[in-house]
Amino acid sequence: GSKVRTSTRLNKGNVSIGSVAVNLAENYFDDLKNRSILIIGSGEGASLVAKSLRQREVEFMITSRTLERAKSFADTAGGHPISFESALSGLKGYDVVFVSTTAPYFLITYERISKAMLARKKGMLVFDLSNPRTVEDHISMIRGIKLINMDQIAEIAENNLRLRKNEIASAEKIIDTEAKSFADILKSRRVEQ
């Protein structure tokens, strides 16, 4: 197993939506530990992002429709709960915002982000991991905003999965070679006894 991992790219490239999103944020900012991060949502997508952030020992805020839901999420997945209203009115304080909800309307609007950016000197990275989308696409036209949506992240995850699948033949070849070598060792030990 170790030889397969070191000799092939079978374990390279994230394939989870949450891991891909956090990896993109990390590449964008170099280091997430000194960034202010908000996750909006408490479902599976938010959990995958939270897990990836925790693995990197990165602190984050979490909000959901109700503070109780945010607290429950924080108890199981990590993060510091914040009320929904405080999170949306305080967008200016975040460097990275991950949105993963099932809301039937836009939570992150052009108006909200425009207002937040008036009070910021630095840029902001926004991920829309929702289906349907809950971030207005045209926020990307605001200076300092980088918007990455679910389609872009899914494409990266799919490419990484494809690369991994291409490595299967190499991994099988290593396994066959090592299995034959192991069988030869067992045969020689039987002969020696």
Side-chain angles (χ1 to χ4, degrees), residues 17-26 29 32 35-42 45-50 52-53 58-63 91 94-101 107-108 124-130 134-135 148 153:
I17 298 298
S19 296
V20 170
V22 171
N23 202 43
L24 287 171
E26 198 168 46
F29 283 116
L32 291 179
R35 300 295 171 178
S36 180
I37 300 171
L38 172 66
I39 299 175
I40 301 174
S42 56
S47 295
L48 293 171
V49 170
S52 192
L53 289 170
V58 174
E59 296 289 319
F60 58 94
M61 304 300 286
I62 178 70
T63 192
L91 286 172
Y94 297 101
D95 300 309
V96 184
V97 178
F98 296 95
V99 185
S100 181
T101 73
L107 292 172
I108 305 297
M124 182 189 298
L125 185 56
V126 179
F127 289 88
D128 187 355
L129 308 176
S130 305
T134 56
V135 176
I148 300 173
I153 293 169

mmCIF file of all heavy atoms in Angstrom, residues 17-26 29 32 35-42 45-50 52-53 58-63 91 94-101 107-108 124-130 134-135 148 153:
data_model
loop_
_atom_site.group_PDB
_atom_site.id
_atom_site.type_symbol
_atom_site.label_atom_id
_atom_site.label_comp_id
_atom_site.label_asym_id
_atom_site.label_seq_id
_atom_site.Cartn_x
_atom_site.Cartn_y
_atom_site.Cartn_z
ATOM 1 N N ILE A 17 -16.058 17.691 -2.678
ATOM 2 C CA ILE A 17 -16.379 19.091 -2.977
ATOM 3 C C ILE A 17 -15.814 20.009 -1.897
ATOM 4 O O ILE A 17 -15.219 21.048 -2.193
ATOM 5 C CB ILE A 17 -17.911 19.275 -3.111
ATOM 6 C CG1 ILE A 17 -18.465 18.444 -4.284
ATOM 7 C CG2 ILE A 17 -18.281 20.737 -3.239
ATOM 8 C CD1 ILE A 17 -17.927 18.811 -5.637
ATOM 9 N N GLY A 18 -15.978 19.623 -0.646
ATOM 10 C CA GLY A 18 -15.468 20.433 0.460
ATOM 11 C C GLY A 18 -13.959 20.572 0.431
ATOM 12 O O GLY A 18 -13.415 21.664 0.625
ATOM 13 N N SER A 19 -13.264 19.469 0.174
ATOM 14 C CA SER A 19 -11.800 19.502 0.121
ATOM 15 C C SER A 19 -11.292 20.336 -1.042
ATOM 16 O O SER A 19 -10.338 21.100 -0.905
ATOM 17 C CB SER A 19 -11.236 18.082 -0.012
ATOM 18 O OG SER A 19 -11.540 17.329 1.120
ATOM 19 N N VAL A 20 -11.954 20.216 -2.186
ATOM 20 C CA VAL A 20 -11.557 21.010 -3.358
ATOM 21 C C VAL A 20 -11.740 22.491 -3.057
ATOM 22 O O VAL A 20 -10.848 23.310 -3.328
ATOM 23 C CB VAL A 20 -12.353 20.600 -4.620
ATOM 24 C CG1 VAL A 20 -12.109 21.583 -5.759
ATOM 25 C CG2 VAL A 20 -11.971 19.187 -5.057
ATOM 26 N N ALA A 21 -12.867 22.855 -2.468
ATOM 27 C CA ALA A 21 -13.140 24.265 -2.161
ATOM 28 C C ALA A 21 -12.109 24.825 -1.183
ATOM 29 O O ALA A 21 -11.553 25.907 -1.403
ATOM 30 C CB ALA A 21 -14.555 24.413 -1.602
ATOM 31 N N VAL A 22 -11.835 24.088 -0.122
ATOM 32 C CA VAL A 22 -10.854 24.563 0.870
ATOM 33 C C VAL A 22 -9.461 24.626 0.252
ATOM 34 O O VAL A 22 -8.704 25.566 0.508
ATOM 35 C CB VAL A 22 -10.882 23.675 2.141
ATOM 36 C CG1 VAL A 22 -9.730 24.016 3.070
ATOM 37 C CG2 VAL A 22 -12.220 23.843 2.858
ATOM 38 N N ASN A 23 -9.135 23.674 -0.589
ATOM 39 C CA ASN A 23 -7.836 23.685 -1.266
ATOM 40 C C ASN A 23 -7.700 24.925 -2.158
ATOM 41 O O ASN A 23 -6.645 25.563 -2.196
ATOM 42 C CB ASN A 23 -7.660 22.405 -2.079
ATOM 43 C CG ASN A 23 -6.221 22.093 -2.364
ATOM 44 O OD1 ASN A 23 -5.380 22.210 -1.485
ATOM 45 N ND2 ASN A 23 -5.933 21.707 -3.590
ATOM 46 N N LEU A 24 -8.764 25.270 -2.879
ATOM 47 C CA LEU A 24 -8.747 26.473 -3.717
ATOM 48 C C LEU A 24 -8.561 27.726 -2.856
ATOM 49 O O LEU A 24 -7.794 28.627 -3.222
ATOM 50 C CB LEU A 24 -10.039 26.584 -4.525
ATOM 51 C CG LEU A 24 -10.196 25.609 -5.692
ATOM 52 C CD1 LEU A 24 -11.607 25.683 -6.252
ATOM 53 C CD2 LEU A 24 -9.174 25.903 -6.782
ATOM 54 N N ALA A 25 -9.234 27.775 -1.730
ATOM 55 C CA ALA A 25 -9.093 28.928 -0.828
ATOM 56 C C ALA A 25 -7.669 29.021 -0.300
ATOM 57 O O ALA A 25 -7.085 30.106 -0.222
ATOM 58 C CB ALA A 25 -10.088 28.819 0.332
ATOM 59 N N GLU A 26 -7.109 27.874 0.037
ATOM 60 C CA GLU A 26 -5.732 27.835 0.543
ATOM 61 C C GLU A 26 -4.742 28.290 -0.529
ATOM 62 O O GLU A 26 -3.806 29.031 -0.242
ATOM 63 C CB GLU A 26 -5.421 26.411 0.997
ATOM 64 C CG GLU A 26 -4.252 26.289 1.915
ATOM 65 C CD GLU A 26 -4.187 24.910 2.541
ATOM 66 O OE1 GLU A 26 -4.337 23.903 1.812
ATOM 67 O OE2 GLU A 26 -3.993 24.855 3.759
ATOM 68 N N PHE A 29 -5.091 32.203 -0.866
ATOM 69 C CA PHE A 29 -4.564 33.014 0.235
ATOM 70 C C PHE A 29 -3.233 32.517 0.801
ATOM 71 O O PHE A 29 -2.697 33.130 1.708
ATOM 72 C CB PHE A 29 -5.580 33.074 1.382
ATOM 73 C CG PHE A 29 -6.725 34.001 1.125
ATOM 74 C CD1 PHE A 29 -8.014 33.522 1.029
ATOM 75 C CD2 PHE A 29 -6.524 35.361 0.986
ATOM 76 C CE1 PHE A 29 -9.083 34.375 0.815
ATOM 77 C CE2 PHE A 29 -7.587 36.224 0.767
ATOM 78 C CZ PHE A 29 -8.862 35.729 0.680
ATOM 79 N N LEU A 32 -4.602 29.809 5.374
ATOM 80 C CA LEU A 32 -5.949 30.111 5.854
ATOM 81 C C LEU A 32 -6.002 30.373 7.357
ATOM 82 O O LEU A 32 -6.993 30.884 7.861
ATOM 83 C CB LEU A 32 -6.903 28.962 5.513
ATOM 84 C CG LEU A 32 -7.222 28.773 4.034
ATOM 85 C CD1 LEU A 32 -8.148 27.583 3.851
ATOM 86 C CD2 LEU A 32 -7.838 30.035 3.447
ATOM 87 N N ARG A 35 -6.899 33.891 8.327
ATOM 88 C CA ARG A 35 -8.049 34.438 7.602
ATOM 89 C C ARG A 35 -9.319 34.261 8.410
ATOM 90 O O ARG A 35 -9.464 33.315 9.187
ATOM 91 C CB ARG A 35 -8.206 33.742 6.238
ATOM 92 C CG ARG A 35 -7.016 33.890 5.336
ATOM 93 C CD ARG A 35 -6.810 35.318 4.937
ATOM 94 N NE ARG A 35 -5.549 35.488 4.234
ATOM 95 C CZ ARG A 35 -5.149 36.631 3.735
ATOM 96 N NH1 ARG A 35 -5.888 37.711 3.854
ATOM 97 N NH2 ARG A 35 -3.994 36.720 3.113
ATOM 98 N N SER A 36 -10.238 35.153 8.188
ATOM 99 C CA SER A 36 -11.551 35.081 8.830
ATOM 100 C C SER A 36 -12.486 34.334 7.883
ATOM 101 O O SER A 36 -12.689 34.758 6.743
ATOM 102 C CB SER A 36 -12.056 36.502 9.093
ATOM 103 O OG SER A 36 -13.302 36.456 9.710
ATOM 104 N N ILE A 37 -13.026 33.207 8.359
ATOM 105 C CA ILE A 37 -13.792 32.302 7.500
ATOM 106 C C ILE A 37 -15.191 32.079 8.060
ATOM 107 O O ILE A 37 -15.364 31.880 9.261
ATOM 108 C CB ILE A 37 -13.050 30.953 7.356
ATOM 109 C CG1 ILE A 37 -11.676 31.188 6.725
ATOM 110 C CG2 ILE A 37 -13.868 29.961 6.541
ATOM 111 C CD1 ILE A 37 -10.773 29.984 6.719
ATOM 112 N N LEU A 38 -16.164 32.098 7.159
ATOM 113 C CA LEU A 38 -17.562 31.867 7.522
ATOM 114 C C LEU A 38 -18.126 30.751 6.662
ATOM 115 O O LEU A 38 -17.932 30.740 5.448
ATOM 116 C CB LEU A 38 -18.383 33.145 7.293
ATOM 117 C CG LEU A 38 -19.905 33.028 7.439
ATOM 118 C CD1 LEU A 38 -20.301 32.722 8.886
ATOM 119 C CD2 LEU A 38 -20.586 34.305 6.955
ATOM 120 N N ILE A 39 -18.817 29.818 7.297
ATOM 121 C CA ILE A 39 -19.588 28.798 6.585
ATOM 122 C C ILE A 39 -21.055 29.106 6.843
ATOM 123 O O ILE A 39 -21.475 29.240 7.994
ATOM 124 C CB ILE A 39 -19.274 27.366 7.064
ATOM 125 C CG1 ILE A 39 -17.805 27.020 6.834
ATOM 126 C CG2 ILE A 39 -20.186 26.356 6.358
ATOM 127 C CD1 ILE A 39 -17.397 25.658 7.386
ATOM 128 N N ILE A 40 -21.827 29.238 5.769
ATOM 129 C CA ILE A 40 -23.270 29.434 5.877
ATOM 130 C C ILE A 40 -23.938 28.137 5.441
ATOM 131 O O ILE A 40 -23.800 27.719 4.296
ATOM 132 C CB ILE A 40 -23.752 30.602 4.989
ATOM 133 C CG1 ILE A 40 -23.066 31.898 5.388
ATOM 134 C CG2 ILE A 40 -25.277 30.739 5.076
ATOM 135 C CD1 ILE A 40 -23.377 33.081 4.471
ATOM 136 N N GLY A 41 -24.634 27.487 6.364
ATOM 137 C CA GLY A 41 -25.286 26.212 6.082
ATOM 138 C C GLY A 41 -24.873 25.174 7.093
ATOM 139 O O GLY A 41 -23.844 25.318 7.769
ATOM 140 N N SER A 42 -25.662 24.124 7.200
ATOM 141 C CA SER A 42 -25.345 23.089 8.186
ATOM 142 C C SER A 42 -25.575 21.682 7.637
ATOM 143 O O SER A 42 -25.690 20.729 8.395
ATOM 144 C CB SER A 42 -26.188 23.300 9.453
ATOM 145 O OG SER A 42 -27.563 23.314 9.123
ATOM 146 N N GLY A 45 -22.672 19.523 2.548
ATOM 147 C CA GLY A 45 -21.623 20.345 1.939
ATOM 148 C C GLY A 45 -20.858 21.143 2.976
ATOM 149 O O GLY A 45 -19.625 21.201 2.959
ATOM 150 N N ALA A 46 -21.586 21.749 3.895
ATOM 151 C CA ALA A 46 -20.954 22.522 4.972
ATOM 152 C C ALA A 46 -20.097 21.608 5.846
ATOM 153 O O ALA A 46 -19.000 21.988 6.273
ATOM 154 C CB ALA A 46 -22.017 23.228 5.798
ATOM 155 N N SER A 47 -20.573 20.395 6.099
ATOM 156 C CA SER A 47 -19.812 19.435 6.907
ATOM 157 C C SER A 47 -18.496 19.060 6.242
ATOM 158 O O SER A 47 -17.460 18.932 6.914
ATOM 159 C CB SER A 47 -20.633 18.166 7.152
ATOM 160 O OG SER A 47 -21.758 18.452 7.931
ATOM 161 N N LEU A 48 -18.519 18.881 4.917
ATOM 162 C CA LEU A 48 -17.297 18.535 4.188
ATOM 163 C C LEU A 48 -16.288 19.679 4.238
ATOM 164 O O LEU A 48 -15.082 19.450 4.394
ATOM 165 C CB LEU A 48 -17.619 18.176 2.738
ATOM 166 C CG LEU A 48 -18.417 16.892 2.537
ATOM 167 C CD1 LEU A 48 -18.863 16.751 1.081
ATOM 168 C CD2 LEU A 48 -17.619 15.675 2.980
ATOM 169 N N VAL A 49 -16.768 20.909 4.127
ATOM 170 C CA VAL A 49 -15.883 22.075 4.235
ATOM 171 C C VAL A 49 -15.301 22.148 5.650
ATOM 172 O O VAL A 49 -14.099 22.334 5.836
ATOM 173 C CB VAL A 49 -16.630 23.376 3.875
ATOM 174 C CG1 VAL A 49 -15.793 24.607 4.211
ATOM 175 C CG2 VAL A 49 -17.009 23.389 2.396
ATOM 176 N N ALA A 50 -16.163 21.994 6.649
ATOM 177 C CA ALA A 50 -15.721 22.060 8.048
ATOM 178 C C ALA A 50 -14.667 20.992 8.336
ATOM 179 O O ALA A 50 -13.656 21.272 8.988
ATOM 180 C CB ALA A 50 -16.921 21.898 8.979
ATOM 181 N N SER A 52 -12.599 19.573 6.271
ATOM 182 C CA SER A 52 -11.360 19.941 5.594
ATOM 183 C C SER A 52 -10.642 21.079 6.326
ATOM 184 O O SER A 52 -9.416 21.081 6.452
ATOM 185 C CB SER A 52 -11.657 20.318 4.143
ATOM 186 O OG SER A 52 -10.473 20.416 3.411
ATOM 187 N N LEU A 53 -11.393 22.040 6.831
ATOM 188 C CA LEU A 53 -10.792 23.136 7.600
ATOM 189 C C LEU A 53 -10.202 22.614 8.914
ATOM 190 O O LEU A 53 -9.092 23.008 9.304
ATOM 191 C CB LEU A 53 -11.833 24.229 7.881
ATOM 192 C CG LEU A 53 -12.264 25.071 6.680
ATOM 193 C CD1 LEU A 53 -13.475 25.935 7.039
ATOM 194 C CD2 LEU A 53 -11.118 25.935 6.168
ATOM 195 N N VAL A 58 -7.762 25.056 10.990
ATOM 196 C CA VAL A 58 -8.194 26.419 10.669
ATOM 197 C C VAL A 58 -9.498 26.710 11.411
ATOM 198 O O VAL A 58 -10.440 25.930 11.348
ATOM 199 C CB VAL A 58 -8.386 26.580 9.136
ATOM 200 C CG1 VAL A 58 -8.983 27.940 8.805
ATOM 201 C CG2 VAL A 58 -7.071 26.368 8.401
ATOM 202 N N GLU A 59 -9.540 27.840 12.094
ATOM 203 C CA GLU A 59 -10.734 28.274 12.814
ATOM 204 C C GLU A 59 -11.750 28.861 11.835
ATOM 205 O O GLU A 59 -11.362 29.453 10.818
ATOM 206 C CB GLU A 59 -10.365 29.346 13.844
ATOM 207 C CG GLU A 59 -9.440 28.846 14.926
ATOM 208 C CD GLU A 59 -10.126 27.898 15.885
ATOM 209 O OE1 GLU A 59 -11.287 28.159 16.257
ATOM 210 O OE2 GLU A 59 -9.497 26.878 16.250
ATOM 211 N N PHE A 60 -13.037 28.714 12.141
ATOM 212 C CA PHE A 60 -14.079 29.278 11.284
ATOM 213 C C PHE A 60 -15.343 29.529 12.083
ATOM 214 O O PHE A 60 -15.541 28.962 13.150
ATOM 215 C CB PHE A 60 -14.374 28.356 10.089
ATOM 216 C CG PHE A 60 -14.811 26.968 10.486
ATOM 217 C CD1 PHE A 60 -16.172 26.660 10.590
ATOM 218 C CD2 PHE A 60 -13.886 25.969 10.733
ATOM 219 C CE1 PHE A 60 -16.588 25.382 10.947
ATOM 220 C CE2 PHE A 60 -14.295 24.688 11.089
ATOM 221 C CZ PHE A 60 -15.646 24.398 11.198
ATOM 222 N N MET A 61 -16.167 30.393 11.534
ATOM 223 C CA MET A 61 -17.478 30.686 12.097
ATOM 224 C C MET A 61 -18.506 29.875 11.310
ATOM 225 O O MET A 61 -18.311 29.614 10.127
ATOM 226 C CB MET A 61 -17.806 32.178 11.986
ATOM 227 C CG MET A 61 -16.782 33.106 12.630
ATOM 228 S SD MET A 61 -16.565 32.826 14.383
ATOM 229 C CE MET A 61 -18.074 33.531 15.007
ATOM 230 N N ILE A 62 -19.590 29.504 11.975
ATOM 231 C CA ILE A 62 -20.647 28.738 11.323
ATOM 232 C C ILE A 62 -21.998 29.390 11.637
ATOM 233 O O ILE A 62 -22.244 29.803 12.762
ATOM 234 C CB ILE A 62 -20.638 27.242 11.768
ATOM 235 C CG1 ILE A 62 -21.768 26.459 11.110
ATOM 236 C CG2 ILE A 62 -20.697 27.109 13.274
ATOM 237 C CD1 ILE A 62 -21.604 26.242 9.643
ATOM 238 N N THR A 63 -22.820 29.501 10.602
ATOM 239 C CA THR A 63 -24.172 30.004 10.821
ATOM 240 C C THR A 63 -25.170 29.170 10.036
ATOM 241 O O THR A 63 -24.810 28.522 9.050
ATOM 242 C CB THR A 63 -24.303 31.503 10.438
ATOM 243 O OG1 THR A 63 -25.549 31.982 10.934
ATOM 244 C CG2 THR A 63 -24.238 31.707 8.938
ATOM 245 N N LEU A 91 -20.742 40.577 6.872
ATOM 246 C CA LEU A 91 -19.944 39.982 5.791
ATOM 247 C C LEU A 91 -18.627 40.717 5.565
ATOM 248 O O LEU A 91 -17.652 40.113 5.120
ATOM 249 C CB LEU A 91 -20.753 39.943 4.490
ATOM 250 C CG LEU A 91 -21.857 38.895 4.430
ATOM 251 C CD1 LEU A 91 -22.711 39.088 3.177
ATOM 252 C CD2 LEU A 91 -21.278 37.490 4.478
ATOM 253 N N TYR A 94 -15.245 39.064 6.797
ATOM 254 C CA TYR A 94 -14.777 37.741 6.377
ATOM 255 C C TYR A 94 -13.931 37.803 5.112
ATOM 256 O O TYR A 94 -14.248 38.538 4.180
ATOM 257 C CB TYR A 94 -15.967 36.794 6.169
ATOM 258 C CG TYR A 94 -16.708 36.572 7.458
ATOM 259 C CD1 TYR A 94 -17.890 37.241 7.720
ATOM 260 C CD2 TYR A 94 -16.192 35.731 8.428
ATOM 261 C CE1 TYR A 94 -18.557 37.074 8.920
ATOM 262 C CE2 TYR A 94 -16.845 35.550 9.631
ATOM 263 C CZ TYR A 94 -18.026 36.222 9.874
ATOM 264 O OH TYR A 94 -18.665 36.060 11.073
ATOM 265 N N ASP A 95 -12.874 36.999 5.117
ATOM 266 C CA ASP A 95 -12.012 36.868 3.936
ATOM 267 C C ASP A 95 -12.539 35.780 3.007
ATOM 268 O O ASP A 95 -12.407 35.880 1.790
ATOM 269 C CB ASP A 95 -10.578 36.512 4.356
ATOM 270 C CG ASP A 95 -9.964 37.578 5.249
ATOM 271 O OD1 ASP A 95 -10.006 38.760 4.877
ATOM 272 O OD2 ASP A 95 -9.443 37.214 6.328
ATOM 273 N N VAL A 96 -13.101 34.724 3.601
ATOM 274 C CA VAL A 96 -13.617 33.584 2.835
ATOM 275 C C VAL A 96 -15.008 33.245 3.346
ATOM 276 O O VAL A 96 -15.213 33.124 4.552
ATOM 277 C CB VAL A 96 -12.713 32.334 2.971
ATOM 278 C CG1 VAL A 96 -13.216 31.202 2.086
ATOM 279 C CG2 VAL A 96 -11.257 32.646 2.671
ATOM 280 N N VAL A 97 -15.955 33.099 2.408
ATOM 281 C CA VAL A 97 -17.323 32.719 2.763
ATOM 282 C C VAL A 97 -17.700 31.497 1.933
ATOM 283 O O VAL A 97 -17.650 31.536 0.701
ATOM 284 C CB VAL A 97 -18.324 33.875 2.494
ATOM 285 C CG1 VAL A 97 -19.752 33.432 2.818
ATOM 286 C CG2 VAL A 97 -17.943 35.118 3.276
ATOM 287 N N PHE A 98 -18.042 30.410 2.631
ATOM 288 C CA PHE A 98 -18.534 29.194 1.986
ATOM 289 C C PHE A 98 -20.048 29.158 2.206
ATOM 290 O O PHE A 98 -20.496 29.181 3.355
ATOM 291 C CB PHE A 98 -17.917 27.944 2.616
ATOM 292 C CG PHE A 98 -16.437 27.823 2.452
ATOM 293 C CD1 PHE A 98 -15.572 28.262 3.451
ATOM 294 C CD2 PHE A 98 -15.889 27.253 1.308
ATOM 295 C CE1 PHE A 98 -14.201 28.130 3.316
ATOM 296 C CE2 PHE A 98 -14.518 27.122 1.165
ATOM 297 C CZ PHE A 98 -13.670 27.565 2.169
ATOM 298 N N VAL A 99 -20.810 29.111 1.123
ATOM 299 C CA VAL A 99 -22.269 29.072 1.235
ATOM 300 C C VAL A 99 -22.746 27.710 0.722
ATOM 301 O O VAL A 99 -22.521 27.356 -0.430
ATOM 302 C CB VAL A 99 -22.932 30.203 0.415
ATOM 303 C CG1 VAL A 99 -24.434 30.213 0.662
ATOM 304 C CG2 VAL A 99 -22.317 31.550 0.755
ATOM 305 N N SER A 100 -23.391 26.957 1.593
ATOM 306 C CA SER A 100 -23.887 25.635 1.227
ATOM 307 C C SER A 100 -25.248 25.436 1.887
ATOM 308 O O SER A 100 -25.345 24.870 2.976
ATOM 309 C CB SER A 100 -22.893 24.561 1.671
ATOM 310 O OG SER A 100 -23.353 23.279 1.290
ATOM 311 N N THR A 101 -26.280 25.931 1.219
ATOM 312 C CA THR A 101 -27.632 25.857 1.782
ATOM 313 C C THR A 101 -28.609 25.335 0.729
ATOM 314 O O THR A 101 -28.247 25.164 -0.435
ATOM 315 C CB THR A 101 -28.125 27.244 2.250
ATOM 316 O OG1 THR A 101 -28.420 28.028 1.100
ATOM 317 C CG2 THR A 101 -27.104 27.947 3.118
ATOM 318 N N LEU A 107 -29.017 34.304 -0.874
ATOM 319 C CA LEU A 107 -28.617 34.791 0.446
ATOM 320 C C LEU A 107 -27.529 35.851 0.318
ATOM 321 O O LEU A 107 -27.515 36.838 1.038
ATOM 322 C CB LEU A 107 -28.077 33.642 1.301
ATOM 323 C CG LEU A 107 -29.072 32.586 1.730
ATOM 324 C CD1 LEU A 107 -28.351 31.431 2.402
ATOM 325 C CD2 LEU A 107 -30.101 33.182 2.661
ATOM 326 N N ILE A 108 -26.601 35.608 -0.588
ATOM 327 C CA ILE A 108 -25.499 36.537 -0.816
ATOM 328 C C ILE A 108 -25.837 37.304 -2.089
ATOM 329 O O ILE A 108 -25.737 36.782 -3.195
ATOM 330 C CB ILE A 108 -24.150 35.796 -0.960
ATOM 331 C CG1 ILE A 108 -23.894 34.895 0.251
ATOM 332 C CG2 ILE A 108 -23.017 36.786 -1.178
ATOM 333 C CD1 ILE A 108 -23.755 35.622 1.572
ATOM 334 N N MET A 124 -12.245 39.433 -1.088
ATOM 335 C CA MET A 124 -13.039 38.392 -0.443
ATOM 336 C C MET A 124 -13.258 37.255 -1.438
ATOM 337 O O MET A 124 -13.491 37.495 -2.615
ATOM 338 C CB MET A 124 -14.391 38.961 -0.007
ATOM 339 C CG MET A 124 -15.276 37.964 0.730
ATOM 340 S SD MET A 124 -16.980 38.574 1.024
ATOM 341 C CE MET A 124 -16.690 40.000 2.055
ATOM 342 N N LEU A 125 -13.157 36.040 -0.948
ATOM 343 C CA LEU A 125 -13.370 34.844 -1.747
ATOM 344 C C LEU A 125 -14.699 34.230 -1.315
ATOM 345 O O LEU A 125 -14.903 33.959 -0.128
ATOM 346 C CB LEU A 125 -12.212 33.876 -1.515
ATOM 347 C CG LEU A 125 -12.122 32.602 -2.318
ATOM 348 C CD1 LEU A 125 -12.114 32.883 -3.809
ATOM 349 C CD2 LEU A 125 -10.856 31.839 -1.932
ATOM 350 N N VAL A 126 -15.608 34.024 -2.280
ATOM 351 C CA VAL A 126 -16.940 33.486 -1.972
ATOM 352 C C VAL A 126 -17.145 32.204 -2.765
ATOM 353 O O VAL A 126 -16.953 32.174 -3.983
ATOM 354 C CB VAL A 126 -18.055 34.504 -2.328
ATOM 355 C CG1 VAL A 126 -19.429 33.918 -2.022
ATOM 356 C CG2 VAL A 126 -17.844 35.815 -1.591
ATOM 357 N N PHE A 127 -17.543 31.143 -2.054
ATOM 358 C CA PHE A 127 -17.835 29.851 -2.680
ATOM 359 C C PHE A 127 -19.330 29.594 -2.587
ATOM 360 O O PHE A 127 -19.898 29.634 -1.496
ATOM 361 C CB PHE A 127 -17.106 28.715 -1.947
ATOM 362 C CG PHE A 127 -15.629 28.710 -2.154
ATOM 363 C CD1 PHE A 127 -14.800 29.440 -1.315
ATOM 364 C CD2 PHE A 127 -15.052 27.980 -3.178
ATOM 365 C CE1 PHE A 127 -13.433 29.439 -1.494
ATOM 366 C CE2 PHE A 127 -13.692 27.978 -3.367
ATOM 367 C CZ PHE A 127 -12.872 28.715 -2.524
ATOM 368 N N ASP A 128 -19.954 29.339 -3.723
ATOM 369 C CA ASP A 128 -21.365 28.962 -3.741
ATOM 370 C C ASP A 128 -21.445 27.456 -3.991
ATOM 371 O O ASP A 128 -21.315 26.988 -5.116
ATOM 372 C CB ASP A 128 -22.125 29.725 -4.820
ATOM 373 C CG ASP A 128 -23.631 29.494 -4.751
ATOM 374 O OD1 ASP A 128 -24.072 28.661 -3.931
ATOM 375 O OD2 ASP A 128 -24.357 30.148 -5.507
ATOM 376 N N LEU A 129 -21.630 26.712 -2.909
ATOM 377 C CA LEU A 129 -21.704 25.248 -2.989
ATOM 378 C C LEU A 129 -23.149 24.771 -2.942
ATOM 379 O O LEU A 129 -23.417 23.589 -2.731
ATOM 380 C CB LEU A 129 -20.917 24.630 -1.818
ATOM 381 C CG LEU A 129 -19.477 25.125 -1.638
ATOM 382 C CD1 LEU A 129 -18.860 24.520 -0.393
ATOM 383 C CD2 LEU A 129 -18.654 24.800 -2.862
ATOM 384 N N SER A 130 -24.069 25.692 -3.121
ATOM 385 C CA SER A 130 -25.497 25.394 -3.005
ATOM 386 C C SER A 130 -26.085 24.923 -4.329
ATOM 387 O O SER A 130 -25.612 25.282 -5.402
ATOM 388 C CB SER A 130 -26.254 26.648 -2.574
ATOM 389 O OG SER A 130 -25.720 27.168 -1.394
ATOM 390 N N THR A 134 -27.214 30.006 -4.326
ATOM 391 C CA THR A 134 -27.751 30.999 -3.386
ATOM 392 C C THR A 134 -26.864 32.245 -3.313
ATOM 393 O O THR A 134 -27.004 33.056 -2.400
ATOM 394 C CB THR A 134 -27.930 30.385 -1.978
ATOM 395 O OG1 THR A 134 -26.686 29.846 -1.553
ATOM 396 C CG2 THR A 134 -28.994 29.310 -1.985
ATOM 397 N N VAL A 135 -25.954 32.367 -4.266
ATOM 398 C CA VAL A 135 -25.111 33.554 -4.383
ATOM 399 C C VAL A 135 -25.344 34.137 -5.769
ATOM 400 O O VAL A 135 -25.253 33.418 -6.770
ATOM 401 C CB VAL A 135 -23.612 33.211 -4.200
ATOM 402 C CG1 VAL A 135 -22.744 34.441 -4.423
ATOM 403 C CG2 VAL A 135 -23.358 32.597 -2.831
ATOM 404 N N ILE A 148 -16.478 31.557 -6.751
ATOM 405 C CA ILE A 148 -16.295 30.220 -7.312
ATOM 406 C C ILE A 148 -17.572 29.449 -7.027
ATOM 407 O O ILE A 148 -18.011 29.354 -5.876
ATOM 408 C CB ILE A 148 -15.070 29.511 -6.694
ATOM 409 C CG1 ILE A 148 -13.809 30.334 -6.979
ATOM 410 C CG2 ILE A 148 -14.939 28.092 -7.236
ATOM 411 C CD1 ILE A 148 -12.569 29.837 -6.300
ATOM 412 N N ILE A 153 -16.151 23.870 -9.067
ATOM 413 C CA ILE A 153 -15.568 22.945 -8.098
ATOM 414 C C ILE A 153 -15.812 21.497 -8.512
ATOM 415 O O ILE A 153 -14.923 20.653 -8.430
ATOM 416 C CB ILE A 153 -16.134 23.227 -6.691
ATOM 417 C CG1 ILE A 153 -15.632 24.593 -6.234
ATOM 418 C CG2 ILE A 153 -15.745 22.151 -5.703
ATOM 419 C CD1 ILE A 153 -16.308 25.125 -5.008
#
